Amino acid sequence: MKIIAQKYRDGSLTLLDVPVPATKAGGVLVRSSYSVISAGTELMKVAESKLSLLGKAKARPDQVRKVLQTLSQQGPLATYQKIANRLDSYTPLGYSLAGVIEDVGADVDGFRAGQRVACGGNQFALHAEFNWVPVNLCVAVPDNVSDEQAAFATVGAVAMQGFRQAEISLGETAVVIGLGLLGQILVRILRAAGIHAFGIDIDAERCRLAMEGGAAACATRGGAEFEGFVEALRRATSGAGADCIFITAGADSNEPVELAGELSRDRGRIVDVGKCRADLPWAEYSQKELEFRFSRSYGPGRYDPIYEEQGIDYPIGYVRWTEKRNMASFLDLIAQGRLDLSPLISSVHPFDEAVAVYEDMNAGRSRGIGVLFRYPDAAPKARRLELKKASAQTGKPRLRLGVIGCGNYASSMLLPHLKGRADVELAEVVTTTPLSGANAAAKFGFASMSTDPARVFDDADIDAVMVLTPHGSHSNLVARALRAGKAVFVEKPLAITAEGLREVVQAAEESGNTRLMVGFNRRFSPLLRKMRAAFGGFDDAQFLHYRVNAGALDPASWHADRARQGGRFVGEGCHFVDTASWWFGARPVLASAVSVGADADNVAATITYDNGASAVIAYMTGGDPRYPKELIEVAGHGMTAKLDNFQTGEVWRRGKRKVFRAVAADKGQKDQMLAFVAALRDGTDMPVPFTSLVETTAVTLAVERSIALGRPFAVADILCGGRHEVS
């Protein structure tokens, strides 16, 4: 299938061939019929990508803050790698379309194959021939609504939410500042609701179009007719001014906000639906006691992953108008004949012309309001795309790798160490979203890409599988790979539940295949290895303290989904457990832990080892995010060691201090990958024993059990189902 994408580094646009998305639970696979280009939102994104790095930074100060946090915690090298990966990645465009359901995922009610639907979401309703869309971003299209008009449903929902935020009532007067596509739709919604609508824009043609849509009067700001427009508004409101002003303009200027204050009545309402500066003029706004409101995109549910991605709806008695209900309501207005969007459709283009259409719009050669892409009725539906033939083997056999999942961490910190190696062939990458596969294929030269994990399990020529997906899927994919006879590298954690861990162990036992490695990379850090060697013997009891300044988590992050991804300590704490176990050279036997405060991931855990050693891991989520992330201190055998954020270290022995420094923070990702490849290539033992991988994972689960029970929990009981809990 085809999808339009842009490179954020330079804004270049490409029509890519990619596999059809996987049909996942909780959503439907939709074949696109028409999709709408939002000239404001999308062209702003395209224009932003063409800016210099400094310009991009000024445009996205939120991303700059994240970069500074990464820099302070992980150092310049890791920060550069992540930024470069983002800049060189393809990003999708589009967020509003209509199409036909091709396939229905598990746990989906109310939809069927062959049904016409309208879809939304800038991660899901993309300009692509096929899209997987979650149920709460998908609504049925009434029989008497055309696909062309249904494609506007998401843009219409934005206008509907702005209308609802205004709490405007029958007979009131409103002014819409900005008569692009969103403003045009809003004018028509206002008229359908019995509101006197006025419009302002910098373009006379848009003013004319709004008048045709029912506006009482329109004018260009600064035009000769503007005084007449103000007089018409004054007469319509008996000199009071508009009850509500909608700002749908997109601009860096503060003029729309200033103009809104001038045109509003005393104690009027101003609703920002677009994106412009909002430096409220104190005198005008305070003297009139104006109320300024923001409108959140399509409505309640937007930016909430539980609603959008997991499909958990808000009860109608508590939230009347969600984003899905706004979309459905908008389509109902069209079905009832109260809205007609056909005058707003400026042009319809075959999707094959997508790049040229964007370039014309961005250059100002095409100034249409509503531009649609039309998709073929019989687009190819391949789940796998071969990009190049496998190279002929010469000399030593090459290790053929299949990779499942390829997010930012994998692309910036793992796969670069395998690219271009003579002893490794990147055979196939499998992703649920096809654009992720396209990014990986372009960067690392995969021979093929797919959206079906079974491809790599069933391919007899693939030697090893890398599982780099979100945490909740790890144990199942690892077990399938082991049963298929593949060697496996899985990014941590190995499992997020005791059942998942037992599934992996059972698969290894039944298949006799323990060729497994988990991404516990810190034990491979060159700096930490030098310090451990300098520290000397390990037969006396030791104490290790590992302080982790994890920081607060973005609630929208997939890591925040404890039910499906296991929580932060299970997902990341295994790193620190493994480091302690490796340092001690011992087996963990008991975990005792508490969570501190309201955050269940703010954890203090004590782990006891079979040689008498003890580790305390303080996983802190409430600290300053700019403070360095990791500090390790070890005492025992008459010595003390300290590692500060994998940049500097010191070992004290017999009163003498030895200092260790790294050119750049190195947490061992490169050495970890090289060790994995070498073990498979040479047929030697895996770099970390299978039992150690299992025990480290069991510790993190025992920590969770200890917190829940309020008492210590034996590590072994995770694998035996908890039949011997510590009293």
Side-chain angles (χ1 to χ4, degrees), residues 571-625:
E572 189 181 23
C574 48
H575 268 317
F576 319 123
V577 173
D578 177 74
T579 303
S581 300
W582 163 77
W583 182 282
F584 293 146
R587 301 181 67 177
V589 294
L590 190 69
S592 179
V594 294
S595 61
V596 181
D599 188 351
D601 291 315
N602 198 32
V603 172
T606 300
I607 302 152
T608 304
Y609 288 81
D610 63 355
N611 68 347
S614 181
V616 173
I617 300 172
Y619 189 83
M620 303 181 297
T621 63
D624 188 317

Side-chain angles (χ1 to χ4, degrees), residues 296-469:
R296 181 169 53 190
S297 193
Y298 328 146
R302 187 72 182 108
Y303 311 117
D304 179 356
I306 295 176
Y307 176 90
E308 291 193 330
E309 297 174 30
Q310 297 183 33
I312 299 176
D313 200 359
Y314 302 149
I316 196 168
Y318 292 88
V319 182
R320 177 62 184 92
W321 293 110
T322 60
E323 55 183 318
K324 180 169 183 170
R325 292 174 193 137
N326 274 333
M327 291 170 67
S329 177
F330 179 75
L331 292 179
D332 285 342
L333 289 176
I334 299 175
Q336 296 164 17
R338 299 172 69 184
L339 286 181
D340 179 15
L341 304 184
S342 55
L344 301 183
I345 299 176
S346 308
S347 57
V348 180
H349 303 270
F351 188 52
D352 283 343
E353 300 175 2
V355 173
V357 171
Y358 271 108
E359 290 175 347
D360 285 346
M361 293 181 70
N362 197 48
R365 294 188 292 269
S366 174
R367 299 178 57 81
I369 291 288
V371 179
L372 294 173
F373 288 132
R374 181 179 65 249
Y375 296 84
D377 293 332
K381 290 196 296 183
R383 294 285 299 276
R384 179 178 183 271
L385 191 65
E386 187 171 314
L387 304 173
K388 63 181 182 181
K389 292 184 178 180
S391 59
Q393 292 185 355
T394 57
K396 286 187 177 181
R398 303 180 77 190
L399 178 69
R400 299 191 77 244
L401 285 180
V403 176
I404 305 176
C406 197
N408 190 45
Y409 180 79
S411 296
S412 59
M413 305 303 293
L414 299 180
L415 293 179
H417 305 306
L418 302 178
K419 179 181 178 181
R421 288 183 59 90
D423 54 355
V424 173
E425 181 177 341
L426 297 174
E428 183 155 341
V429 61
V430 181
T431 57
T432 55
T433 55
L435 207 53
S436 296
N439 281 324
K443 291 174 187 174
F444 304 114
F446 281 93
S448 61
M449 56 180 168
S450 170
T451 55
D452 183 4
R455 286 283 319 166
V456 297
F457 301 141
D458 296 341
D459 189 340
D461 292 330
I462 286 181
D463 305 300
V465 174
M466 294 184 69
V467 177
L468 310 176
T469 55

Side-chain angles (χ1 to χ4, degrees), residues 57-377:
K58 290 180 178 179
R60 294 296 304 273
D62 58 323
Q63 296 300 315
V64 173
R65 286 191 293 272
K66 291 180 180 179
V67 168
L68 293 176
Q69 179 177 334
T70 302
L71 181 64
S72 62
Q73 289 205 333
Q74 300 183 27
L77 179 59
T79 303
Y80 169 78
Q81 289 169 330
K82 290 184 177 182
I83 292 174
N85 184 59
R86 291 287 191 187
L87 290 175
D88 290 330
S89 294
Y90 291 115
T91 58
L93 296 168
Y95 67 94
S96 187
L97 65 82
V100 177
I101 294 177
E102 288 280 320
D103 193 16
V104 178
D107 303 322
V108 172
D109 296 320
F111 291 104
R112 55 177 171 76
Q115 185 177 15
R116 292 193 308 139
V117 288
C119 308
N122 62 355
Q123 293 176 292
F124 305 106
L126 309 176
H127 296 308
E129 290 177 332
F130 291 89
N131 287 282
W132 178 85
V133 186
V135 290
N136 277 346
L137 291 173
C138 192
V139 296
V141 176
D143 291 340
N144 61 337
V145 175
S146 68
D147 288 342
E148 293 93 325
Q149 296 208 35
F152 288 88
T154 311
V155 186
V158 177
M160 294 290 283
Q161 178 61 15
F163 170 82
R164 299 191 195 287
Q165 283 294 89
E167 296 182 291
I168 198 166
S169 58
L170 185 67
E172 289 191 320
T173 301
V175 175
V176 179
I177 300 177
L179 296 174
L181 178 58
L182 183 57
Q184 296 287 343
I185 292 175
L186 185 53
V187 164
R188 286 157 174 78
I189 290 173
L190 290 167
R191 290 301 302 132
I195 309 298
H196 302 292
F198 291 73
I200 299 172
D201 198 89
I202 59 174
D203 188 301
E205 177 58 25
R206 293 183 175 184
C207 290
R208 182 197 63 77
L209 191 59
M211 292 287 289
E212 288 183 359
C218 292
T220 57
R221 175 65 162 158
E225 76 283 9
F226 192 73
E227 289 186 10
F229 168 86
V230 174
E231 177 60 25
L233 178 62
R234 190 190 67 79
R235 289 196 304 268
T237 60
S238 300
D243 297 289
C244 183
I245 312 290
F246 295 91
I247 301 176
T248 56
D252 292 331
S253 169
N254 200 52
E255 185 177 357
V257 170
E258 296 169 2
L259 180 59
E262 296 171 12
L263 299 179
S264 177
R265 67 165 169 83
D266 189 59
R267 297 183 179 177
R269 300 175 302 282
I270 295 158
V271 180
D272 184 8
V273 191
K275 183 180 180 181
C276 65
R277 286 179 56 190
D279 299 332
L280 306 184
W282 184 86
E284 189 84 55
Y285 276 63
S286 63
Q287 289 172 16
K288 288 186 176 180
E289 286 191 346
L290 299 180
E291 183 177 357
F292 193 92
R293 300 180 180 182
F294 288 95
S295 179
R296 181 169 53 190
S297 193
Y298 328 146
R302 187 72 182 108
Y303 311 117
D304 179 356
I306 295 176
Y307 176 90
E308 291 193 330
E309 297 174 30
Q310 297 183 33
I312 299 176
D313 200 359
Y314 302 149
I316 196 168
Y318 292 88
V319 182
R320 177 62 184 92
W321 293 110
T322 60
E323 55 183 318
K324 180 169 183 170
R325 292 174 193 137
N326 274 333
M327 291 170 67
S329 177
F330 179 75
L331 292 179
D332 285 342
L333 289 176
I334 299 175
Q336 296 164 17
R338 299 172 69 184
L339 286 181
D340 179 15
L341 304 184
S342 55
L344 301 183
I345 299 176
S346 308
S347 57
V348 180
H349 303 270
F351 188 52
D352 283 343
E353 300 175 2
V355 173
V357 171
Y358 271 108
E359 290 175 347
D360 285 346
M361 293 181 70
N362 197 48
R365 294 188 292 269
S366 174
R367 299 178 57 81
I369 291 288
V371 179
L372 294 173
F373 288 132
R374 181 179 65 249
Y375 296 84
D377 293 332

